[in-house]
Amino acid sequence: MTKQSELKQILSGLPQEELISIILEVADSDKSFRNRIMVKYSKGDRNQELKHCKQLIDSIVKKYTGREGFIPYRETGSFVYEMGELLEKSGGMKDPMLALDIAFLVLDEAIGAFQYADDSNGEIGALVQHTLEVIGQIADEQSAEYENAETVNKLFDRVLEMSASDIFRGWDEFRLELLAICADLAETAELRGKLETQVRRLIANKADEEYGHYFDEQAHKLLFEMIRNNGSPEEEKDFIAEHLQYTFFRELAIHQAMANKDYDRAVALAEAGEQQDHSYAGLVRKWKELRYLVYKKLSLHAEQGALAKELLLGGDFTYYHELAALAGESKAELYEGLKNELKKAEGWHNRDLYLKLIEEEDDLDAMMDFVRENPSSIEQYAVRLADKYKDEVISIYDGHINAAASRSSNRKEYKEVCRKLKRYKEVAGKEGLQQLKMTLTNAYSKRPAFLDELSRV
């Protein structure tokens, strides 16, 4: 019999008065336990329910923060679990407003917990996301039965009010999720008007913030979705045109122009985007890629080729295949030109492109030249070069391993030398491996740890 079943058997035989006495005794020494009992079984009014939930939250926080006022890594999961248990109370409640307020209590504390808990595993963040999902479910259940318009309006107002809370300072992504829930509830022009006013107020409040651009763009996307779902095509078009400073709307405008075969406008929008976002390499590349699609659709080969080369030299090797297709029978000339240009260019970025290029074309002569200038790269190219340059490959590989051995001074480094030896065998064969092992054994006979590792190869 397990301890739990034994305890159950004992408790089952006790009279009700004694069981109550035991529970009261435990509750007196464990406030968290007491508050869980109150939350789970009390039948009080709305204010009492919220009071009990708040008391339970306070006792959970106190239980895990302790004297230090901080929840350590090993305790965060248990804290989140107990908070999640409370959140479950809101699920299935008959009173949606009470369910919402309980979820808000959990949300408030969960966001606050980022300041007093070790969230290395992202458990606090998961609790916040789960709470927002529960709030969304409460809203969905009511909006699905829209005949209860008064309740939907109350839910909308409460969520909208919460979205303006200072608890979201620094957590715009959570504020935006609440605003999105409001948008789902906003089935009438009146509610949409309230939401728009709130969103625009929040945008204005963030106007001077250094990192307010993310919120601005996401908030404008929310406004746009309301226009898309409820406004006219003209309103939608005007809104896009007025907000081209945001990536989402410029990209949308370009795709719409392409769909309408207004290619001049698509190119103009992309070029303007490059000018606007010239300080952001990723965005500049995005606008160039879209402009390239227009040139390709129009078969503007000269413009297409120039831009493909620009994108290639910018780091996207896939455009080499585009250039090769455009070059046709002149591909060899294209390859030699690019190879020479990249070889002369400075920087690791150009070197990386150069290597991708010669590997793509299996240019063994160029690879061998590179290995001669960079002996440490022999491991990367030895197998490919072995058939054509076997003796030279083995000689460079041999020197590379000897150099690594001369720099090694501990067992970890000795193991790495031996890993190189195992790869060396692929080109030098068993006999070549044994010869190099013997050379290293003789050279480092006074390093027993090294000899031990060599004996394992």
Side-chain angles (χ1 to χ4, degrees):
M1 181 182 294
T2 65
K3 290 182 179 180
Q4 188 171 359
S5 58
E6 185 179 358
L7 178 62
K8 182 179 180 181
Q9 186 178 35
I10 293 171
L11 292 174
S12 299
L14 295 177
Q16 182 177 350
E17 292 78 6
E18 194 162 350
L19 284 172
I20 292 173
S21 178
I22 291 170
I23 292 171
L24 289 172
E25 185 178 345
V26 174
D28 190 50
S29 61
D30 187 340
K31 287 187 179 180
S32 179
F33 173 77
R34 175 189 178 281
N35 290 322
R36 282 203 303 274
I37 294 292
M38 295 297 293
V39 166
K40 190 168 184 177
Y41 299 108
S42 69
K43 303 296 182 182
D45 61 22
R46 171 189 170 77
N47 290 333
Q48 287 177 317
E49 289 270 17
L50 288 175
K51 178 183 175 182
H52 291 150
C53 288
K54 186 66 173 72
Q55 288 174 336
L56 176 55
I57 289 173
D58 291 343
S59 64
I60 293 171
V61 172
K62 186 175 181 180
K63 173 181 176 181
Y64 287 102
T65 53
R67 295 178 182 176
E68 295 79 14
F70 187 81
I71 303 176
Y73 170 80
R74 65 182 181 278
E75 298 285 353
T76 302
S78 298
F79 167 77
V80 167
Y81 177 78
E82 290 199 30
M83 292 291 285
E85 281 190 320
L86 171 58
L87 186 61
E88 288 178 11
K89 181 178 175 65
S90 63
M93 292 189 75
K94 292 182 179 179
D95 182 351
M97 295 305 299
L98 178 57
L100 186 65
D101 280 337
I102 291 173
F104 280 155
L105 286 175
V106 176
L107 181 64
D108 192 335
E109 196 62 52
I111 292 177
F114 282 118
Q115 304 302 317
Y116 62 74
D118 184 337
D119 193 36
S120 300
N121 269 356
E123 291 167 302
I124 301 295
L127 174 61
V128 173
Q129 285 297 337
H130 180 47
T131 308
L132 288 166
E133 288 169 9
V134 169
I135 293 168
Q137 289 166 7
I138 294 169
D140 286 344
E141 287 170 5
Q142 296 306 309
S143 59
E145 304 173 3
Y146 198 74
E147 62 272 10
N148 193 357
E150 183 181 353
T151 300
V152 172
N153 289 349
K154 287 181 179 179
L155 282 170
F156 173 90
D157 287 340
R158 185 72 181 92
V159 177
L160 191 66
E161 177 188 5
M162 187 65 175
S163 72
S165 171
D166 285 341
I167 69 168
F168 298 108
R169 190 178 298 277
W171 301 102
D172 284 338
E173 63 269 36
F174 303 143
R175 192 193 302 273
L176 285 162
E177 288 196 45
L178 284 183
L179 291 170
I181 291 171
C182 286
D184 291 338
L185 287 167
E187 294 287 344
T188 66
E190 180 185 359
L191 295 185
R192 289 194 294 274
K194 285 184 179 181
L195 177 56
E196 181 178 354
T197 299
Q198 175 79 304
V199 171
R200 293 195 181 282
R201 183 184 299 121
L202 289 168
I203 291 171
N205 290 341
K206 286 182 166 290
D208 297 327
E209 288 189 15
E210 185 178 357
Y211 301 105
H213 186 82
Y214 167 79
F215 179 85
D216 281 0
E217 180 164 2
Q218 299 305 313
H220 280 98
K221 283 172 65 176
L222 188 64
L223 294 174
F224 174 70
E225 286 303 319
M226 286 197 292
I227 291 172
R228 176 182 268 178
N229 294 331
N230 303 284
S232 67
E234 290 74 21
E235 288 176 305
E236 181 180 336
K237 181 180 177 181
D238 289 345
F239 192 91
I240 294 171
E242 290 168 8
H243 297 94
L244 293 174
Q245 69 271 34
Y246 300 114
T247 302
F248 172 81
F249 294 105
R250 183 172 296 277
E251 188 171 3
L252 181 60
I254 292 171
H255 283 298
Q256 287 183 346
M258 290 174 68
N260 295 329
K261 298 185 178 180
D262 189 352
Y263 298 117
D264 288 341
R265 174 167 169 74
V267 169
L269 285 166
E271 289 178 332
E274 293 168 45
Q275 292 292 322
Q276 170 188 286
D277 300 315
H278 62 90
S279 299
Y280 304 96
L283 287 177
V284 170
R285 184 170 61 250
K286 177 193 284 287
W287 306 133
K288 286 182 178 180
E289 287 171 349
L290 288 170
R291 183 155 57 93
Y292 180 83
L293 289 177
V294 178
Y295 291 155
K296 189 172 183 178
K297 189 172 284 289
L298 294 174
S299 298
L300 297 173
H301 293 162
E303 292 85 347
Q304 192 181 340
L307 189 50
K309 183 179 179 181
E310 206 176 311
L311 287 162
L312 168 65
L313 296 178
D316 191 339
F317 190 75
T318 58
Y319 283 92
Y320 174 64
H321 303 114
E322 296 283 326
L323 282 168
L326 286 168
E329 295 180 357
S330 301
K331 181 185 173 183
E333 183 180 344
L334 166 74
Y335 170 68
E336 288 299 325
L338 283 172
K339 181 175 72 171
N340 291 330
E341 183 176 346
L342 288 169
K343 187 174 183 179
K344 293 174 184 176
E346 297 180 353
W348 66 267
H349 166 81
N350 290 308
R351 170 172 149 158
D352 183 57
L353 282 174
Y354 173 75
L355 293 176
K356 286 180 179 177
L357 183 65
I358 62 176
E359 288 170 15
E360 174 71 20
E361 297 299 336
D362 201 28
D363 189 337
L364 299 181
D365 292 340
M367 287 182 217
M368 193 68 238
D369 285 341
F370 182 80
V371 170
R372 290 181 187 120
E373 295 174 9
N374 304 275
S376 63
S377 66
I378 187 63
E379 292 183 66
Q380 181 179 351
Y381 295 105
V383 173
R384 294 178 74 162
L385 295 171
D387 286 344
K388 188 172 183 179
Y389 299 99
K390 185 167 186 177
D391 291 342
E392 188 175 4
V393 165
I394 291 173
S395 175
I396 293 174
Y397 216 146
D398 190 303
H400 171 63
I401 291 175
N402 273 292
S406 69
R407 294 191 301 268
S408 63
S409 58
N410 56 57
R411 190 172 286 270
K412 181 180 178 181
E413 291 171 349
Y414 299 151
K415 286 179 182 288
E416 180 56 35
V417 171
C418 290
R419 279 193 286 269
K420 294 179 188 298
L421 277 170
K422 291 175 183 177
R423 293 191 288 267
Y424 173 77
K425 182 182 176 182
E426 294 180 43
V427 293
K430 187 174 182 181
E431 184 178 341
L433 172 64
Q434 293 303 322
Q435 288 178 356
L436 185 50
K437 271 183 64 179
M438 183 62 66
T439 299
L440 293 172
T441 299
N442 292 334
Y444 300 99
S445 59
K446 295 182 180 180
R447 297 188 188 180
F450 197 0
L451 297 179
D452 179 52
E453 293 299 331
L454 285 170
S455 68
R456 302 171 190 269
V457 179

